Amino acid sequence: MGSIGDFGPGASELTSLESVEDDALLQNTRLRYEKGHIYTRSGRLLLAVNPYRTLGGLYSDASLKAYKSALQPQSDLPPHVYAVAAAAYTGMMQDTKSQSVIISGESGAGKTETAKILLQYLADVSTAGQSDLHTRVLQTNPIMESFGCAKTVWNNNSSRFGKFLTLQFNSTGKMQGAFMKTYLLEKSRIVQQSKDEQNYHVLYTVANGLSADEKKEWCIPPVEQIKYLNLHQTKLQWEQFPCTYADLCTAMTCIPGLQPVQSGCWKVLMAVLSLGNAEFKSTNDDGDAVFVDDSPVAAAAKLLSCQPEQLMKAITSQMIKAGLDWISKPNTTAVAKGVRDALAKALYSKLFIFIVDSINESLIFGGESRFFIGAVDIFGFECFPKNSLEQLCINFANEKLQRMFTEAVFESVLAEYRKEGIDVADMKYVDNAQVVDLIENKENGVLSLLSEECFFPNGSDSSYITKLKQAHKKNDRFSEERMDPNLFTIDHYPGKVTYDSRGFLEKNKDPLSQDLTVLMQFSDDDFVASLFKEKAQPEIHGGGGVRRFKSAKFIGVIDAFRKSLIELVDTLKGTKTHFIRCVKPNMTKEAHKFVDDVMLRQLHSSGVVGAIKATRQGFPDHLKFQEVLARFKLVVPKGSSKNGAEGVKELLKNAGIDAARFRVGKTKVFLGVGALDELEKKRMEYIARNVVSMQTCARRYLAKKKAHQLREEKRLAEQAKRMEEERKRHEEEEKLRKAEEARVAAELAEQTKREEEETKKKEGEEQDRQKRFQRARQLSFERRAGRKKREEEEAKKRDEETKKEEAAALSAVGAAALTDGQAYSKKLDDFHQQVNDGQVTDTEMMNVAVVSDIGWKGASEAQAQEDVWAQYDFKCAVSDVLEYAEYLGMDIKEDAHLLWIADEALQAPEPQGWEQRLDPKGGVYYYHPTTGMSLNQHPLDHHYQQFYLQMKAQYDAMYAKGEEPPSKPTEQEEAPAGEAPMPYGQEAFGGEEDDGKKKKGLFNKMFSRPSSAAKGQIEESYELSVTLERQQDGLGIGLTLDNIIVEVEPGGSVHAQGELQYGDQIIAVDGKMLAGKMLKDIIVPQKRHNLVVRYTRMSSQPKSPRRERAKKLGAQVGAAPRRIEELDIVISREPQTGRLGFGIDPMNTVVEVEPNGPVAGQLKVGDKIVAVDDNLLNFKRFIDVVNSVDWSSSHKLRIARLRGTGAVPGAKTGGDKRRSADFTKGKRRSSFTSKDDAPPSPSPQKEKARPQAPKRPTGMPALREVRLIKEYDDTKIGAVFHRSDDAFDKSFFNVEGSSVQPIIKKVDVGSKAETAGLVPGDVVLSVNGISGLSNFQVVEMLRKGMGVFNLVVISGVYKVTASA
């Protein structure tokens, strides 16, 4: 190579070639390459040829200085990386816009070296001398090359990660800091490499560079005996490594965060190598694994500061839960190897992340920077003999950057030409949009299908490749390999690449055993523990308290990579981009060898040829009229006084620009190649001339000043003494200032120490609080088994007590000394005293309740009022609900109206697909075998916390708008005699007045029905107050869920009183309004009760004595009069199974009817069974009566049915359907009555036509669980999902983002979906414990899976759309 200003042979600007045919381009590139001129320019693009040798003087200090001092380095000096860096820096300062340089090319083309040269120039030009920041920026290169680069087939120093380095500048162009973001480290290289390839440089450098004492202490064998470094016995060439061990240590010393932990970093690296030397053998026919030699694992445990026995156990076994017991399950040799390799990869990758974070902490500027220059050094396009998921991701990243290059150079230019009315010849270019869509398409892209396959329990690499081939069999950029079904080929922009799909799913999941994670977190080495410390989740309310739980949604490696790649492209599009295309002259990494075919392929595939032709045909520089006139009007001789297009034309003519070299559009002027450089050169010459004049004036001023100083010499001598005194004073002040700074530094260090102690204290408090909350979660772990056991014990105890009471009653008949009334009064008083003393259990309380399950809530009315939580009707223990609510982050006082969420959560079943396991430290965690995910909390904790936050935000928004809960009756109801008037529904809200802003429970809002006017015959409503004397056996009545009397026990309290009748609805007891609650939840046992009931009668019926005592009511807003009717029906069992096909609760109320079952159309939800086969049940359970005798093929039932005014007996009404929906929403658990209590299955009978279900009334969403059973692969569920979110109001659920929600659009009549209770508008929140799924993923799981599916759904607002 010649002097610095030597442009070299041939054309340094490819657009100036007479011909741009392939032969001319190859000849020009070869000629320049042979003479050492490896750089050639083509407009905005720089072509860089890898010389595979050192070129003396090309990157010398003199060369760097020349490009720094040049006015226009792009035109005044030969093409160079320095020139591109100078253009980016100058453009940032002149255009006040951030810049970016995209360095791309195939593997081995020299991208990493080019990035180093670019960084060298920018660091030098923007810092004052060899500053500390300048040194730190340059010292990042050996560190990142050592930890992130390795030898491959095509490159001795190949980057195995992507990097985007941004240099931050202020408004004066001074570099303030830097920040580096990395992408997709190739972790698999740690444990496996292809032939003729090596592991990461740092492993060889450190293993060889450690001192003899360190190797002996850490049990490190020679490099040749380390398995991970010699998988293929590749010969090591130490001179090809980017730096020595001493250079690496020096570089890390320059980074403050790495200097104190160097030894810790080397220990982690050596632990990785020690793990690689651990081998396994089988101990039995099952293949259970044990270590051949414990010493490598013991060495690794020593380096990681953990117990060797625990590490060995965590690798070779796992603790799983079987029932209520924990058992140890041995790992097979294959599984143990996978666990070992996973730990090695995790150690290296977490250390790599720590290195990057430490570098960023030392470089990043804490304030706000004005501009930045970003350098993209991302892995080059790769095609090896065997290509896996890593190569697919790498090549996809290159496709995205190539797509960006195409848009910047071609598409955007053509669009602007058309907009401005510029006529240019047709420009042809290669567009890779089809390949990008093939890989990233959301529905069936290569990466999307892989992410989806990881969700399926039976997902495998073979099923993935089958789906992939089926989806893209007609895509001409995708092809199959007939010889091997596991291979597929994609036609990328540089050429075709064949990928091996084996291992795709495992690499995407990238699992790490939670046992090993916990071991590392509890390491005695603080540095190792910090590497595995989980990142703190944000606090749910932003200002302290509970943090957000980790989501149970699976996010694979490719999902995170795609997200970061999209962010990178968006960042680059906001800058002005410069392109450097790196190419290699041959495939054998030889110097002085130029292969035409290799070079020509790269010139075409990288878009260089197309860019040259486009530049020759078009105009690369586009400037607005005003910008041209403002920038160049004064510097061009005879500048025009005109404005707009005419002014620009005259200015360019006066500047000597030929008319063929520019085009004038509507708002912009388009300048040909070199035209802008000529204008800029004239401008710089004008500035230089004016600078000379300014310098002349300055010199004259300085000369006068010097003469004046000479005349004043005597006076200055006299002032010398004073100046000396002043100097001493300054020195003293400086000494005091330093002392003050030292004091401030000491105070700052003390403050930092206090903050660290406070942080540790808070962490300790957080751990204590988590342990306290663990009890709430642990309750849900063991609730099912414990509950079943308690129920069995209570049932056994009740049977024994019943027998004792019967025996005592028989003996008391003949020997009773007191009357029945006196005995009962004494017993009741004794029971009250036992309640006050706390000696009565819940079971004993229920034993003295009415047969219809009317329970006693407390010993006295005063105690009931003190129990503020009684109004919420929790299914779980109040203490458990409150503790779990606090665990979710609720404020018990402010969020009392949302406590039902915690109650629901504690009742939720264990999610399908998750296993409970025990880590080495005794902690319980959840593991998902399909996705490989591990969670320290329950998989549903995140879901219920998110649901709570959504509901809280929804309520807050509702009250912020001034909306009120559903209105209450306007007239104040009259209280029973002797009682003060009470507002309607007051007791339902804890005794406080409803001011219109009182928060209301979700289910009260959910079940409120729209008002409707009564139609048909006129019925009148009455309200009656009665007084009852409680007998020993309770009130002696049976009630429906709506507190309507359907059974009266002969001789009981109600029967003895005589005024209450069949069909009356109880609305108040002892001055308390029931307000939708059941009587058993409100009543407090006492000797005398005051009941208020409502009933309806036809106006034509004659008046009765009790009607004369009753109060006639007016029309009730939002409700119609309701009545009870009795019906006799005959039901038949299924011939094959003997099933009846309906479910009942303990009060013999029908709670579920199978749509196509034997009793469909006869029984309805809410029906009360009074008698069976002419025998009154008299508070006996229907299932006990039917199963106590030999059941026949049919049964005669007498049922009580609630109907509205004007309804035809036995006909279905909208209210009945809404009631059925209400039962479903309420999650009333029931069992189907059959011979063996089997769950319902589709009836073989012919499907009956049914009316379309009515639209659900708009209201608050209802959370519930739905269970689907799919017996065979081809069984159809019968649900259609929306393909887009057009029918879903996301703001209603506080949902953001572009993902398509799984919303049910249509449910087939009689299908399994309808049987399970799914309706249009339901949003599926999770399937078998996996949340965050899209509609496509839910459909695929239901379509391809088999067995039981537990769905958590929420009913939302939906639009009625056409059927799919």
Side-chain angles (χ1 to χ4, degrees), residues 1038-1051:
L1039 303 175
T1040 66
L1041 298 176
D1042 293 324
N1043 299 309
I1044 297 176
I1045 299 174
V1046 292
E1047 289 178 298
V1048 178
E1049 184 180 19

Side-chain angles (χ1 to χ4, degrees), residues 851-852 1038 1046-1050 1148 1168-1172 1175-1182 1185:
V851 182
S852 58
V1046 292
E1047 289 178 298
V1048 178
E1049 184 180 19
N1148 300 324
K1168 173 82 173 184
I1169 301 178
V1170 179
V1172 55
N1175 295 317
L1176 291 176
L1177 295 181
N1178 286 333
F1179 307 104
K1180 298 178 182 178
R1181 294 180 61 202
F1182 170 81
V1185 174

Side-chain angles (χ1 to χ4, degrees), residues 330-354:
N331 289 334
T332 63
T333 54
V335 174
K337 288 178 181 178
V339 174
R340 176 203 64 186
D341 291 347
L343 177 59
K345 291 187 292 184
L347 284 167
Y348 190 87
S349 63
K350 290 184 180 295
L351 178 61
F352 181 82
I353 293 172
F354 171 79

Side-chain angles (χ1 to χ4, degrees), residues 611-626:
I612 295 171
K613 293 180 179 180
T615 305
R616 285 170 61 90
Q617 295 173 354
F619 306 90
D621 298 307
H622 313 157
L623 286 82
K624 293 184 178 180
F625 295 155
Q626 187 60 32

Side-chain angles (χ1 to χ4, degrees), residues 216-396:
K216 182 179 179 180
E217 180 185 358
W218 297 348
C219 304
I220 305 302
V223 174
E224 295 76 13
Q225 298 178 15
I226 299 176
K227 184 177 180 182
Y228 278 162
L229 303 185
N230 297 275
L231 293 178
H232 300 287
Q233 301 298 323
T234 305
K235 183 179 180 181
L236 299 178
Q237 298 176 349
W238 294 103
E239 67 277 3
Q240 292 185 353
F241 284 86
C243 66
T244 65
Y245 176 72
D247 295 335
L248 178 59
C249 292
T250 301
M252 294 185 69
T253 304
C254 296
I255 307 299
L258 298 180
Q259 182 178 4
V261 294
Q262 273 195 40
S263 178
C265 294
W266 305 154
K267 285 184 178 180
V268 172
L269 293 176
M270 294 306 99
V272 170
L273 299 182
S274 297
L275 286 171
N277 285 348
E279 297 183 356
F280 304 91
K281 64 180 181 181
S282 300
T283 59
N284 50 36
D285 295 338
D286 295 333
D288 296 344
V290 296
F291 288 101
V292 175
D293 182 7
D294 295 345
S295 57
V297 187
K302 180 180 179 181
L303 291 167
L304 297 173
S305 298
C306 62
Q307 295 298 322
E309 297 79 9
Q310 291 182 342
L311 182 59
M312 295 177 189
K313 184 177 179 181
I315 294 176
T316 58
S317 64
Q318 49 190 317
M319 292 295 292
I320 63 176
K321 194 171 187 180
L324 296 178
D325 300 323
W326 293 98
I327 62 173
S328 177
K329 177 184 177 183
N331 289 334
T332 63
T333 54
V335 174
K337 288 178 181 178
V339 174
R340 176 203 64 186
D341 291 347
L343 177 59
K345 291 187 292 184
L347 284 167
Y348 190 87
S349 63
K350 290 184 180 295
L351 178 61
F352 181 82
I353 293 172
F354 171 79
I355 296 290
V356 174
D357 291 342
S358 298
I359 291 176
N360 284 332
E361 288 178 4
S362 69
L363 298 180
I364 195 169
F365 175 62
E368 183 177 355
S369 297
R370 184 75 180 275
F371 312 110
F372 72 84
I373 297 179
V376 180
D377 175 18
I378 206 161
F379 12 59
F381 185 85
E382 294 184 347
C383 181
F384 298 126
K386 181 179 179 180
N387 302 283
S388 189
L389 181 63
E390 294 86 355
Q391 281 67 47
L392 176 62
C393 292
I394 288 171
N395 294 340
F396 172 58

Side-chain angles (χ1 to χ4, degrees), residues 61-341:
D61 293 340
S63 177
L64 178 62
K65 185 176 180 181
Y67 281 90
K68 283 175 59 178
S69 58
L71 295 177
Q72 285 291 309
Q74 287 279 55
S75 58
D76 295 345
L77 294 174
H80 200 290
V81 177
Y82 289 161
V84 176
Y89 184 77
T90 306
M92 178 188 70
M93 299 303 300
Q94 292 180 351
D95 301 334
T96 62
K97 184 177 182 180
S98 295
Q99 313 280 308
S100 61
V101 181
I102 300 178
I103 307 171
S104 60
E106 297 184 7
S107 180
K111 298 181 300 302
T112 301
E113 289 298 321
T114 301
K116 288 164 59 178
I117 298 167
L118 180 78
L119 182 61
Q120 178 189 5
Y121 178 91
L122 292 174
D124 190 87
V125 77
S126 58
T127 54
Q130 295 294 321
S131 67
D132 182 56
L133 177 61
H134 177 276
T135 303
R136 279 182 277 133
V137 168
L138 294 182
Q139 288 297 339
T140 61
N141 288 322
I143 299 175
M144 296 309 299
E145 285 188 3
S146 296
F147 280 89
C149 296
K151 179 184 177 181
T152 64
V153 176
W154 307 123
N155 190 358
N156 292 335
N157 191 35
S158 176
S159 295
R160 309 317 302 160
F161 71 105
K163 178 176 67 176
F164 181 48
L165 177 64
T166 58
L167 304 179
Q168 302 164 309
F169 299 89
N170 61 15
S171 58
T172 63
K174 182 180 179 180
M175 186 166 68
Q176 298 173 298
F179 182 79
M180 177 170 50
K181 188 171 183 180
T182 59
Y183 305 91
L184 196 69
L185 176 71
E186 186 184 20
K187 292 192 288 186
S188 61
R189 181 167 294 273
I190 302 296
V191 299
Q192 61 182 14
Q193 305 107 39
S194 300
K195 186 178 180 182
D196 298 328
E197 293 192 352
Q198 294 178 358
N199 216 318
Y200 288 100
H201 295 324
V202 69
L203 295 172
Y204 300 91
T205 303
V206 176
N208 185 63
L210 290 173
S211 65
D213 292 339
E214 289 174 323
K215 292 180 180 179
K216 182 179 179 180
E217 180 185 358
W218 297 348
C219 304
I220 305 302
V223 174
E224 295 76 13
Q225 298 178 15
I226 299 176
K227 184 177 180 182
Y228 278 162
L229 303 185
N230 297 275
L231 293 178
H232 300 287
Q233 301 298 323
T234 305
K235 183 179 180 181
L236 299 178
Q237 298 176 349
W238 294 103
E239 67 277 3
Q240 292 185 353
F241 284 86
C243 66
T244 65
Y245 176 72
D247 295 335
L248 178 59
C249 292
T250 301
M252 294 185 69
T253 304
C254 296
I255 307 299
L258 298 180
Q259 182 178 4
V261 294
Q262 273 195 40
S263 178
C265 294
W266 305 154
K267 285 184 178 180
V268 172
L269 293 176
M270 294 306 99
V272 170
L273 299 182
S274 297
L275 286 171
N277 285 348
E279 297 183 356
F280 304 91
K281 64 180 181 181
S282 300
T283 59
N284 50 36
D285 295 338
D286 295 333
D288 296 344
V290 296
F291 288 101
V292 175
D293 182 7
D294 295 345
S295 57
V297 187
K302 180 180 179 181
L303 291 167
L304 297 173
S305 298
C306 62
Q307 295 298 322
E309 297 79 9
Q310 291 182 342
L311 182 59
M312 295 177 189
K313 184 177 179 181
I315 294 176
T316 58
S317 64
Q318 49 190 317
M319 292 295 292
I320 63 176
K321 194 171 187 180
L324 296 178
D325 300 323
W326 293 98
I327 62 173
S328 177
K329 177 184 177 183
N331 289 334
T332 63
T333 54
V335 174
K337 288 178 181 178
V339 174
R340 176 203 64 186
D341 291 347

